Amino acid sequence: MKMTLQLTATATDSLSRDAVVMADTLTAMINREQTFSWHEDGYINPSDATMTTADDRKSLVNWCYLFVDHLQLSRETVASAMEMVDRFLSTAGKSASNSADADVVRAASVSYEAPRDQRKLQLLTITGMYVSIKINESVAFSSDLLAEMCSRYYSTEEIEDMERVLLSGLSWRCHAPTALQIGISILSIILPSVDIPEETWGILMDEMKYLIELTVLDYYFSTQRTSTVALAAIYEAIAVIASKQHQELLRTSLNVIMERFDFDHSKKITELRRKLHPIIQDDDADECSLEEEHTVLV
């Protein structure tokens, strides 16, 4: 009888064993992150009653997560889409101040109008998803299909027109590194020097991914460096691990990484870790509410 070998995927399969290559990759991503800018000033002004709110943005991100879940696409596609949308709204107006390019000028106009026009902001976000899917996913996805999925609330022409506006406002730079990509690179560098069980790596990576997905929902994190978000998520994920010894091993290795690369100061990372706590609690409360609703329905 012929024996068939079945290979079981493990948590660290998504990590690279070549720490040298991953160190070079991480350095390149940090350099790219800084050239893309992380738009600390943001674009939402709470004192402007005509402007969209952080809660409005959160609703749009939640819709994007439902959208990719329905299509069985990666949730990281949402992170990429929102990075483009947030960067466009934060920087497109500034880049057009001395430009005679009609597309750039129009992008600046849209970047001002969208946070004050719900329909236009929704269209911009949907278009960001459309661009992100084309960049990051292997599926064929047309603007006509997207319009159909939106019940023709936006036409194919509107989506394609907004795509040109978005890309012009971004100067066609739409490959910014995501927090998950940076997080995976950091853990890949740590992997050879930390002897912990595969199960512990699985817990660490799942928690990091979960926390990064939560940060995409929160407007504050869109104004921070992506690498800082990744580090904050990793440090918080380490705290979930039951073994204090494993926690110490991981923190020690992560502290070494902090010294080797051009990251934010540790005080900034601590600030983001604190900001994570309330959104984790909010998500836990939402989960409890859903469970209660399910119990009542049953």
Side-chain angles (χ1 to χ4, degrees):
M1 180 184 291
K2 184 178 179 181
M3 299 295 291
T4 302
L5 180 63
Q6 291 186 333
L7 299 178
T8 303
T10 60
T12 54
D13 284 348
S14 60
L15 301 180
S16 170
R17 261 65 177 179
D18 194 330
V20 174
V21 170
M22 293 312 296
D24 290 341
T25 300
L26 180 58
T27 299
M29 283 196 287
I30 291 171
N31 290 337
R32 280 171 57 211
E33 169 194 52
Q34 293 174 337
T35 59
F36 275 79
S37 84
W38 53 91
H39 35 85
E40 270 190 300
D41 294 336
Y43 58 90
I44 293 178
N45 180 1
S47 63
D48 186 344
T50 68
M51 185 171 280
T52 191
T53 66
D55 284 341
D56 294 332
R57 179 189 174 280
K58 181 178 179 180
S59 296
L60 286 171
V61 178
N62 268 322
W63 179 88
C64 290
Y65 277 146
L66 291 172
F67 182 80
V68 295
D69 288 349
H70 176 71
L71 294 175
Q72 297 183 319
L73 303 177
S74 169
R75 283 191 158 208
E76 193 178 7
T77 297
V78 178
S80 177
M82 290 311 300
E83 188 284 327
M84 287 187 281
V85 170
D86 290 328
R87 178 157 48 95
F88 174 86
L89 292 173
S90 299
T91 63
K94 298 171 186 176
S95 62
S97 55
N98 298 313
S99 177
D101 188 311
D103 289 337
V104 174
V105 172
R106 182 158 178 245
S109 176
V110 171
S111 73
Y112 176 82
E113 295 164 1
R116 297 166 175 82
D117 182 332
Q118 185 180 27
R119 188 179 188 279
K120 193 166 287 187
L121 182 60
Q122 289 175 346
L123 174 59
L124 178 65
T125 304
I126 288 168
T127 304
M129 284 297 301
Y130 175 55
V131 174
S132 185
I133 290 170
K134 290 205 291 186
I135 292 170
N136 299 298
E137 302 285 355
S138 58
V139 299
F141 200 83
S142 68
S143 54
D144 187 61
L145 176 59
L146 181 57
E148 184 66 32
M149 294 186 71
C150 294
S151 302
R152 298 291 170 182
Y153 186 67
Y154 302 104
S155 68
T156 300
E157 291 74 24
E158 284 180 301
I159 293 169
E160 291 176 351
D161 182 58
M162 185 60 81
E163 180 185 13
R164 287 189 292 271
V165 169
L166 175 62
L167 292 174
S168 294
L170 297 175
S171 300
W172 294 82
R173 298 185 340 191
C174 43
H175 290 275
T178 66
L180 184 59
Q181 289 171 339
I182 292 176
I184 291 294
S185 295
I186 292 170
L187 294 184
S188 294
I189 297 170
I190 290 174
L191 178 62
S193 60
V194 178
D195 185 15
I196 58 176
E198 188 69 30
E199 181 183 0
T200 304
W201 278 110
I203 293 169
L204 176 64
M205 293 173 66
D206 285 348
E207 187 69 13
M208 176 190 73
K209 184 178 179 182
Y210 161 70
L211 293 174
I212 287 172
E213 287 178 3
L214 286 184
T215 64
V216 179
L217 288 159
D218 193 288
Y219 169 72
Y220 165 79
F221 291 93
S222 74
T223 65
Q224 306 301 314
R225 286 178 61 179
T226 311
S227 58
T228 309
V229 174
L231 283 166
I234 294 173
Y235 274 111
E236 285 300 300
I238 290 172
V240 171
I241 295 170
S243 168
K244 298 299 181 185
Q245 181 184 4
H246 294 162
Q247 285 188 19
E248 188 59 33
L249 285 170
L250 287 162
R251 285 199 192 97
T252 300
S253 294
L254 192 54
N255 290 341
V256 172
I257 297 293
M258 283 281 296
E259 296 297 323
R260 284 180 58 190
F261 296 90
D262 187 17
F263 291 124
D264 260 336
H265 193 277
S266 59
K267 289 182 179 179
K268 189 67 176 177
I269 294 162
T270 300
E271 176 188 322
L272 265 68
R273 290 181 65 185
R274 291 197 185 106
K275 291 283 188 180
L276 265 171
H277 296 165
I279 66 173
I280 295 169
Q281 291 168 359
D282 287 346
D283 190 61
D284 288 343
D286 289 344
E287 288 292 329
C288 289
S289 176
L290 285 171
E291 287 177 8
E292 289 173 4
E293 287 178 18
H294 178 71
T295 302
V296 171
L297 287 171
V298 171

